[in-house]
Amino acid sequence: MSTVAVVGTQWGDEGKGKAIDYIATRADMVVRAQGGNNAGHSVVIDGKKYALHLIPSGILNAKTINIIGNGVVFDPEGFFNELKDLEDDGINTKNLFISDRAHIVFDYHKIIDSLGEKSKGSKKVGTTNKGIGPCYMDKMERTGIRMCDVLDDDLFEAKLSAQIDRKNDMITKLYGGEPLDKTALMKKYTDYAKRLKPYVKDTSVMVYEAVKAGRKVLFEGAQGTMLDIDLGTYPYVTSSHPVSGGFTTGSGVSPRDINEIIGIVKAYTTRVGEGPFVTEEDNETGDKIREIGHEYGVTTGRPRRCGWLDLVVVRYAARVNGLTGISLMLLDVLDQFETINVCVGYEYNGEVLTDFPASLKIQEESRPVYKTLRGWNTPITGCRSYEDLPEEAKAYIKEIEEFSGVPVKIISVGPDREQTMIRGELF
Ligand code: GDP
Ligand code: IMO
Ligand code: MG
């Protein structure tokens, strides 16, 4: 298979960064197609940790071409900070291109993000405050500013000037906030625009040509299926399409050109921000998972909410993404449990649901139906092949495969690149 898409199956932070970096060691090109620097992907290579937000995880492989596709919302400030951190670590950042159709995140998006959250009070989404939703709002409203605009100084200045006036109106009149200093903002972003010019390309053509030439192309998902604006736990979602379909509109490739779709499944479930979470363990079990799994956000540092693996969610993700394989992550975090629960249904109003419901109310009022499996209760971080795993861990994997109908092709037992096992051929 020459093209592989990697998607999060839960609420993000499933370990996509690690899995992508592992697969990317064989890839010629890595493509991001949605979200922005709300993502936080950690990759550990030989004990050194890298945190990637906007830049594709393929950047850690010197020869891989990295594409930020048209569906991404691009924050220049975040980008240049991330670039500097990578360069300080001696990473070659030359092979990096940004779509001329990607929309740009400005300071006013971030400010409106926090003002909007504040105004929602207890109904806040718990966003990352990176301006993601407000930037996608401009895109949908058809007033956004795109990367191709930075190539024309006069056009860029005219568009930005008009947009700052509109946003200042919104900030002051709707939210009663302080207006932004227009002169300072114009200067800040016209400087960024100059620095961005060399990166701007028609990346859809680049991806197409790579696919046509049979190169190995890896599509890197951010966030996760349950955060999808259409298919997730709306309104507690992000504003893009983290499902496999998002790669086509977000990078300009045909669905026919995506061969393999790998779903990243964390061996348990976590969520940051607000919203329903049927298998949440807001108790000692959740605390134990959080401490062993170091479940604190890469982007915001927030403690993640933790709970058991929800197979209703995984099976839903298998269906809506068309998964051809699963990469099971952080299995080692369950090393210290006598028994392990997996959720195989939702009890609601005396009925058991096995398809993820649309209604927020039903999600909130559903109780998990658990199947209890025996834990392996022994460290597996040193295992390097499936055969090395304890029988109980193999039974856990089998349960996931049977319920979701998808084979587990990659198993991860620690954060390092080395702590990975692969079953069969992947890429
Ligand atoms: P992403 O957003 O999906 O890329 O995931 P994050 O990077 O936000 O969170 C996953 C965390 O788990 C990171 O700190 C990884 O270094 C770590 N990690 C990934 N795979 C494993 C694993 O198999 N075992 C353990 N213990 N940690 C892992
Ligand atoms: P990665 O790629 C986990 C969550 C936020 C919030 C909701 C909306 O690291 O898996 P946004 O700022 O996007 O408008 O916030 O989505 N969220 C994530 N949660 N991992 C992520 O990315 C996330 N990106 C956004 O916490 O609940
Ligand atoms: Mg993350």
Side-chain angles (χ1 to χ4, degrees):
M1 293 293 178
S2 62
T3 61
V4 177
V6 171
V7 291
T9 58
Q10 295 150 318
W11 280 276
D13 302 327
E14 300 92 345
K16 294 179 294 296
K18 168 175 169 170
I20 289 159
D21 167 70
Y22 182 76
I23 304 171
T25 53
R26 296 148 216 229
D28 299 301
M29 180 180 270
V30 179
V31 184
R32 270 281 302 269
Q34 44 71 227
N37 56 356
N38 49 348
H41 297 175
S42 326
V43 178
V44 181
I45 305 170
D46 297 331
K48 163 104 185 118
K49 190 163 185 163
Y50 301 88
L52 297 154
H53 300 281
L54 196 50
I55 297 179
S57 303
I59 201 78
L60 303 174
N61 294 292
K63 289 190 187 133
T64 310
I65 306 279
N66 292 277
I67 304 280
I68 296 178
N70 58 275
V72 171
V73 285
F74 179 87
D75 173 1
E77 187 170 35
F79 173 74
F80 284 116
N81 287 338
E82 200 174 327
L83 203 63
K84 181 170 181 315
D85 287 347
L86 288 168
E87 283 168 358
D88 288 350
D89 281 333
I91 304 294
N92 168 18
T93 60
K94 294 271 175 299
N95 291 328
L96 182 56
F97 304 95
I98 309 162
S99 167
D100 48 9
R101 291 174 171 83
H103 281 248
I104 303 175
V105 178
F106 295 91
D107 279 350
Y108 48 76
H109 291 127
K110 300 179 210 177
I111 288 165
I112 291 168
D113 197 351
S114 18
L115 289 170
E117 281 280 273
K118 244 180 245 151
S119 76
K120 285 181 182 155
S122 64
K123 292 205 159 45
K124 72 175 196 294
V125 174
T127 72
T128 58
N129 279 323
K130 299 287 179 189
I132 306 296
C135 185
Y136 280 118
M137 278 164 73
D138 282 4
K139 173 173 171 169
M140 293 306 174
E141 194 204 24
R142 292 152 294 180
T143 58
I145 301 176
R146 298 184 299 161
M147 286 298 287
C148 55
D149 299 326
V150 309
L151 300 176
D152 181 328
D153 298 342
D154 293 339
L155 182 81
F156 182 75
E157 281 180 36
K159 284 193 174 183
L160 182 57
S161 166
Q163 231 16 11
I164 295 174
D165 291 342
R166 293 182 73 224
K167 299 298 171 182
N168 269 343
D169 261 0
M170 193 171 171
I171 290 169
T172 53
K173 293 181 186 154
L174 182 62
Y175 294 115
E178 283 299 308
L180 289 158
D181 177 341
K182 184 168 178 179
T183 316
L185 213 60
M186 290 295 296
K187 163 95 178 74
K188 175 172 171 178
Y189 284 97
T190 48
D191 284 353
Y192 279 140
K194 287 193 184 72
R195 291 171 68 193
L196 284 172
K197 286 182 189 186
Y199 294 96
V200 184
K201 291 275 179 296
D202 186 343
T203 53
S204 158
V205 173
M206 294 174 76
V207 179
Y208 176 75
E209 285 179 348
V211 171
K212 211 169 65 170
R215 301 251 185 285
K216 292 186 170 175
V217 179
L218 170 61
F219 295 92
E220 170 171 0
Q223 288 81 50
T225 302
M226 304 315 286
L227 290 171
D228 186 280
I229 185 82
D230 273 286
L231 296 160
T233 46
Y234 189 89
Y236 296 99
V237 291
T238 190
S239 302
S240 68
H241 289 295
V243 293
S244 58
F247 290 116
T248 68
T249 52
S251 69
V253 294
S254 156
R256 287 188 298 149
D257 287 330
I258 300 179
N259 305 135
E260 181 108 32
I261 303 168
I262 298 292
I264 309 298
V265 176
K266 194 179 255 190
Y268 45 94
T269 312
T270 62
R271 164 157 219 182
V272 269
E274 309 303 316
F277 177 177
V278 176
T279 64
E280 181 167 19
E281 291 283 317
D282 191 10
N283 53 32
E284 280 166 18
T285 303
D287 293 347
K288 182 171 168 183
I289 295 175
R290 184 178 310 104
E291 290 322 305
I292 301 175
H294 307 293
E295 291 294 355
Y296 296 88
V298 181
T299 301
T300 57
R302 289 179 288 179
R304 294 174 182 152
R305 300 157 63 193
C306 298
W308 296 117
L309 181 61
D310 185 340
L311 287 177
V312 175
V313 161
V314 175
R315 183 158 69 182
Y316 176 68
R319 171 164 63 84
V320 300
N321 290 292
L323 299 184
T324 59
I326 281 174
S327 180
L328 181 63
M329 313 303 289
L330 294 110
L331 190 60
D332 55 297
V333 174
L334 300 179
D335 279 357
Q336 300 170 42
F337 288 88
E338 291 286 340
T339 56
I340 300 172
N341 286 341
V342 288
C343 173
V344 293
Y346 292 171
E347 198 183 307
Y348 176 75
N349 250 354
E351 259 185 87
V352 176
L353 314 176
T354 50
D355 285 315
F356 195 85
S359 153
L360 193 68
K361 181 170 177 281
I362 299 179
Q363 292 163 24
E364 278 168 347
E365 292 177 8
S366 286
R367 294 286 152 260
V369 177
Y370 283 126
K371 181 166 178 181
T372 302
L373 305 177
R374 273 200 301 147
W376 43 98
N377 218 1
T378 181
I380 58 169
T381 48
C383 295
R384 290 295 174 272
S385 80
Y386 174 76
E387 284 66 39
D388 294 345
L389 289 170
E391 288 311 313
E392 293 85 351
K394 287 181 185 160
Y396 192 66
I397 293 167
K398 192 157 170 261
E399 189 68 39
I400 297 170
E401 290 183 320
E402 283 180 355
F403 199 88
S404 66
V406 181
V408 171
K409 294 191 174 173
I410 302 174
I411 301 156
S412 173
V413 292
D416 212 279
R417 229 186 225 178
E418 298 298 304
Q419 294 170 301
T420 318
M421 34 198 127
I422 199 156
R423 289 165 91 195
E425 253 321 289
L426 183 68
F427 199 35

